[in-house]
Amino acid sequence: QVQLVESGGGLVQAGGSLRLSCAASGRAFSSYVMGWFRQAPGKQREFVAAIGWSIQSTSYTDSVKGRFAISRDNAKATVFLQMNGLKPEDTAVYYCAASADYYKVLHGQCDYWGQGTQVTVSS
């Protein structure tokens, strides 16, 4: 079992930055692929970013490439999402998720999910 707790959300003006954190507890954090997802009101949850066991392995949805960066600290069992150049369309609840399978993370089929943290970007 893995428990995930997100933090770092909030209200920010367009063009601003936020850094989300996801603290994991449980076993073998370093063996999990970690992902960030988001769900805006009235929309389906969507994939944002993923990071494999190796920090060199990352994936992003097109709309955040060049603005968001996912990273992880295996020693602290934490994954981060640095969000720069925020836009009003980035407003959503952001979820952290984990799976042992990279394909599953890319397709939102994660085994473990956090409770989410709200990000609101004002224009």
Side-chain angles (χ1 to χ4, degrees):
Q1 286 285 347
V2 176
Q3 293 79 43
L4 303 172
V5 179
E6 302 95 335
S7 61
L11 173 64
V12 64
Q13 288 188 334
S17 298
L18 282 174
R19 189 192 195 202
L20 304 183
S21 299
C22 173
S25 59
R27 300 179 63 181
F29 171 80
S30 61
S31 67
Y32 286 95
V33 179
M34 302 299 298
W36 285 98
F37 296 79
R38 65 187 180 185
Q39 186 167 21
K43 295 187 177 181
Q44 289 189 330
R45 184 176 62 201
E46 66 170 345
F47 167 80
V48 175
I51 186 166
W53 311 280
S54 165
I55 61 174
Q56 286 79 23
S57 179
T58 58
S59 301
Y60 298 92
T61 191
D62 286 347
S63 63
V64 307
K65 285 180 180 177
R67 300 188 298 122
F68 290 12
I70 188 171
S71 61
R72 67 190 295 164
D73 184 337
N74 288 335
K76 296 182 178 179
T78 303
V79 62
F80 305 97
L81 186 68
Q82 178 66 44
M83 305 186 295
N84 300 325
L86 282 161
K87 305 175 181 180
E89 52 263 43
D90 294 318
T91 295
V93 177
Y94 282 71
Y95 298 90
C96 173
S99 175
D101 189 310
Y102 204 101
Y103 177 90
K104 285 188 174 182
V105 174
L106 291 180
H107 292 83
Q109 300 165 1
C110 298
D111 300 302
Y112 305 103
W113 293 87
Q115 83 290 347
T117 185
Q118 177 70 47
V119 171
T120 304
V121 185
S122 63
S123 57

